[in-house]
Amino acid sequence: MNNDVEKFLIDSNAFITPHRNYYQFSFAPTFWELLNQHCSSGKIMTLDMVMGELCREKEDEKKDDMQIWLESSFTGIPVSSKTQDVLTNYAIVMNHLQIDDKYLEDAAREWSDVKVADPWLIAVAKTYGYTIVSFEKRMSISSRNPTKRAKIPNICDDFGIKYCNLFDMMKVLKFRM
């Protein structure tokens, strides 16, 4: 990590869940202002693929509040998934899913969809030493209990990548609302 400052990489659900369940724009603008401040300072990042997941609609009348906010107010600059180091780590992640007996073939197939940001999040975090922020939960898996759905926390464990949920990140960054 650069300068020993922990940097966080946010998954799509770490935008969607607070927007829908905890910090709607209308009554918790401070959360979104703090998020933007930390994005501007480089402590919080997101991925170009995550932005693609969240900003799919082209017609204004079809855009939800989250997409409108991201396109009009978000100050973060998405990290590119298109660098050689990231592509190399993406291949390592995908190969891991194919050869690790904790994961069934379906896990690699699902994550090989170019629209799925999860393996790219892992690759970027592995490349730059970021901590991934997601609401996904770790599953109990083993070679005797393999899964057909890969989850970010489990893959983070496999690669020694730090992982936390949004509230843990907020504690580290001292969000005060």
Side-chain angles (χ1 to χ4, degrees):
M1 288 180 229
N2 298 343
N3 303 328
D4 294 329
V5 174
E6 187 170 13
K7 293 186 178 187
F8 297 92
L9 183 64
I10 300 187
D11 187 15
S12 299
N13 67 32
F15 284 106
I16 294 167
T17 301
H19 165 63
R20 290 184 181 162
N21 300 320
Y22 309 113
Y23 307 120
Q24 287 93 15
F25 296 119
S26 61
F27 68 83
T30 303
F31 168 79
W32 301 100
E33 291 165 9
L34 289 167
L35 185 72
N36 260 340
Q37 287 174 16
H38 288 292
C39 286
S40 294
S41 72
K43 293 177 187 169
I44 297 175
M45 318 289 203
T46 194
L47 184 61
D48 54 2
M49 305 257 329
V50 166
M51 292 297 287
E53 285 181 349
L54 297 171
C55 298
R56 292 181 193 259
E57 297 298 336
K58 302 298 180 217
E59 299 174 33
D60 287 343
E61 59 274 359
K62 291 184 179 179
K63 294 178 182 180
D64 64 7
D65 288 342
M66 174 56 47
Q67 181 171 347
I68 292 167
W69 181 82
L70 285 167
E71 291 177 350
S72 65
S73 301
F74 183 60
T75 62
I77 299 171
V79 177
S80 175
S81 59
K82 312 269 186 293
T83 69
Q84 187 57 53
D85 290 341
V86 171
L87 291 169
T88 298
N89 282 321
Y90 173 81
I92 291 168
V93 169
M94 295 308 295
N95 185 59
H96 175 73
L97 279 175
Q98 292 171 345
I99 64 171
D100 190 315
D101 61 0
K102 294 184 307 231
Y103 304 99
L104 298 172
E105 188 178 316
D106 289 345
R109 187 176 307 114
E110 179 184 20
W111 273 27
S112 67
D113 181 337
V114 295
K115 295 177 189 153
V116 176
D118 293 4
W120 295 100
L121 283 164
I122 302 290
V124 166
K126 183 173 173 20
T127 301
Y128 300 113
Y130 297 157
T131 299
I132 295 180
V133 180
S134 177
F135 280 103
E136 283 191 12
K137 302 284 187 205
R138 190 173 275 106
M139 296 187 324
S140 178
I141 59 173
S142 67
S143 56
R144 284 184 263 144
N145 181 30
T147 182
K148 62 182 177 179
R149 306 253 1 237
K151 294 291 182 184
I152 289 172
N154 294 91
I155 303 294
C156 284
D157 291 346
D158 294 345
F159 285 100
I161 295 169
K162 288 180 73 177
Y163 163 87
C164 69
N165 67 37
L166 180 75
F167 303 115
D168 292 332
M169 180 197 77
M170 290 168 65
K171 286 177 197 169
V172 169
L173 295 177
K174 296 179 174 46
F175 272 49
R176 299 290 180 256
M177 297 186 289

